[in-house]
C-alpha cells in the first residue's frame, strides 16, 4: 500500500541490518492482476482509516529484476499456501528472505 513498490523495497533494504523478510502477492498472468486489485479493494475499503490503494503488484520476474538491480545475489523465496479463496486466480503469496552480507 505504497506509491512505489521499488522505493519502498529500497528503503526496507537500506534500514535492514542483517536480514530482510517480506511477504508479497505476486501475479503470474494478467488476469490475476484484476482479481488481486478487486480483493485488495474489498479487504481495505471498509476500514475506518484511509488505506492507499496503489495496486503495486509485481510479477516474480519483476521482483527478480529488482533484486538484480539492487545487486542482491541470493534470495530465498517460498510460496505460502493461501486458505482464503484458493479457487480464485489471485496470484501467489511469496515469502522472500534476503540475507545482507
Amino acid at each position: 500500500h505504497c506509491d512505489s513498490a521499488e522505493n519502498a523495497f529500497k528503503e526496507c533494504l537500506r534500514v535492514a541490518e542483517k536480514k530482510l523478510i517480506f511477504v508479497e502477492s505476486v501475479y503470474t498472468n494478467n488476469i490475476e492482476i484484476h482479481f488481486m486489485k478487486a480483493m485488495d479493494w474489498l479487504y481495505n475499503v471498509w476500514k475506518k482509516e484511509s488505506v492507499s490503494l496503489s495496486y503495486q503488484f509485481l510479477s516474480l520476474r519483476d521482483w527478480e529484476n529488482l533484486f538484480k538491480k539492487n545487486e542482491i545475489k541470493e534470495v530465498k523465496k517460498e510460496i505460502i499456501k493461501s486458505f482464503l479463496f484458493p479457487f480464485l486466480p489471485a496470484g501467489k503469496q511469496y515469502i522472500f528472505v534476503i540475507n545482507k552480507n
Side-chain angles (χ1 to χ4, degrees), residues 41-79:
W41 178 84
L42 183 64
Y43 291 149
N44 291 290
V45 72
W46 57 271
K47 294 182 179 177
K48 290 180 184 177
E49 302 84 24
S50 177
V51 175
S52 173
L53 297 173
S54 58
Y55 308 114
Q56 294 288 309
F57 300 112
L58 302 178
S59 69
L60 188 56
R61 178 177 284 168
D62 293 333
W63 278 111
E64 289 170 346
N65 288 337
L66 189 55
F67 299 148
K68 185 176 182 181
K69 181 178 178 181
N70 287 277
E71 300 178 358
I72 299 168
K73 295 177 178 41
E74 188 175 332
V75 177
K76 180 183 175 188
K77 52 188 174 265
E78 184 177 325
I79 295 176

Side-chain angles (χ1 to χ4, degrees), residues 22-35:
F22 63 101
V23 175
E24 188 64 32
S25 297
V26 176
Y27 72 90
T28 59
N29 61 58
N30 290 334
I31 293 172
E32 288 181 342
I33 293 173
H34 299 291
F35 279 96

